Amino acid sequence: MSLNIAIDGPAGAGKSTIAKAVAKKMNLIYVDTGAMYRAMALYMVKMNIDLKDTEKIIEAGKNVDITIRYEDGVQVVYLNGENVNAFLRTEAVGNAASTVSVIGEIRQKLVELQQKLAAESDCIMDGRDIGTCVLPNAQRKIYLTASSDVRAKRRYDELVAKGEECDLAKIKADIEERDYRDMHREVSPLKQAEDAILVDSSYMTIDEVIAEIIRICEM
Ligand code: DC
């Protein structure tokens, strides 16, 4: 049986940064499930599908093939055969992913892919429903969170460092809107699994969070 570690939490809590570092230290594959929902959303945006039209999204979703490969330890997402990694990390695609991921039919397809990857390899997988739904039998479950003020400020600093113009209040409002949608949807909402360990990173450095999660994993 492979070793599976689940990390869930709201947008901007630092899940991917932490999971990547822990994967490296513990020699695990890092499975970024948000990237799969982002690829699905990217397809809908490219095809001009109205994101309010659930039926159209379900129909269009049938034409989507998402394949995951690991190239030099990095997860590469192929959308209908094309490497789309470079297009996934924008705010617009993240918000569209949050909308598309509300739909059960879309989730089902991606959950199957995630479960297959976890069965094949020792991995650390991050998302919203990993501990509660995708990998209920994961050996370790972590719920990583931080206050919305701290998450917004981290995102703001990241964008400023990239030279992008941005507004802290707008980023915070977007984060809170995304939290609400992810936590209140009907299918697999974001919530802490009963057997997950809570880590609040609001007042921790990245290195402290990595050390804490490795400590939890080695317990
Ligand atoms: O983690 P992220 O920001 O890349 O995720 C983008 C969106 O995808 C997120 O707002 C909700 C959705 N998502 C999900 O519903 N379930 C997951 N396991 C991962 C992401």
Side-chain angles (χ1 to χ4, degrees):
M1 206 173 112
S2 45
L3 170 66
N4 293 160
I5 297 169
I7 302 196
D8 291 298
K15 297 185 299 295
S16 66
T17 306
I18 303 301
K20 262 185 220 157
V22 173
K24 213 172 198 176
K25 290 212 169 147
M26 294 183 66
N27 202 19
L28 306 167
I29 282 179
Y30 164 50
V31 182
D32 172 1
T33 63
M36 302 176 196
Y37 290 95
R38 284 170 183 261
M40 192 58 96
L42 180 65
Y43 179 82
M44 302 301 162
V45 171
K46 270 187 169 175
M47 301 304 282
N48 276 320
I49 307 282
D50 177 2
L51 293 180
K52 290 191 198 81
D53 192 335
T54 304
E55 290 310 314
K56 283 230 171 74
I57 294 175
I58 294 172
E59 210 36 49
K62 293 180 185 157
N63 303 321
V64 176
D65 174 63
I66 292 175
T67 306
I68 303 295
R69 296 209 195 107
Y70 289 89
E71 301 175 6
D72 297 326
V74 175
Q75 171 176 296
V76 181
V77 183
Y78 288 86
L79 171 61
N80 292 337
E82 185 197 346
N83 175 344
V84 290
N85 268 25
F87 310 106
L88 300 181
R89 307 263 16 128
T90 66
E91 294 299 289
V93 171
N95 289 328
S98 171
T99 302
V100 165
S101 66
V102 164
I103 303 169
E105 285 84 346
I106 297 288
R107 304 196 66 81
Q108 195 183 348
K109 189 165 169 151
L110 298 180
V111 167
E112 278 168 23
L113 173 63
Q114 292 154 13
Q115 289 174 332
K116 188 164 168 280
L117 289 168
E120 284 166 358
S121 21
D122 291 345
C123 71
I124 179 163
M125 184 179 286
D126 79 348
R128 303 291 187 286
D129 59 338
I130 311 306
T132 51
C133 165
V134 181
L135 305 175
N137 299 320
Q139 289 89 338
R140 283 287 178 278
K141 296 181 186 176
I142 290 133
Y143 190 84
L144 181 64
T145 190
S147 70
S148 58
D149 277 315
V150 167
R151 288 183 283 134
K153 180 68 170 58
R154 286 180 189 159
R155 187 71 192 126
Y156 174 83
D157 290 344
E158 248 173 58
L159 292 171
V160 169
K162 279 198 223 161
E164 284 177 39
E165 241 181 66
C166 52
D167 170 3
L168 183 58
K170 164 91 173 59
I171 293 175
K172 186 176 170 219
D174 277 353
I175 281 190
E176 288 178 344
E177 189 185 322
R178 186 118 80 93
D179 285 356
Y180 187 86
R181 206 181 304 119
D182 293 349
M183 290 173 179
H184 291 87
R185 66 183 177 218
E186 228 166 89
V187 193
S188 316
L190 166 65
K191 64 169 190 244
Q192 184 178 343
E194 270 176 25
D195 50 351
I197 296 174
L198 176 70
V199 177
D200 184 336
S201 74
S202 299
Y203 303 105
M204 294 167 84
T205 64
I206 290 177
D207 286 342
E208 284 169 346
V209 181
I210 295 169
E212 174 63 3
I213 291 186
I214 290 179
R215 188 187 68 76
I216 292 169
C217 293
E218 289 177 346
M219 266 187 332

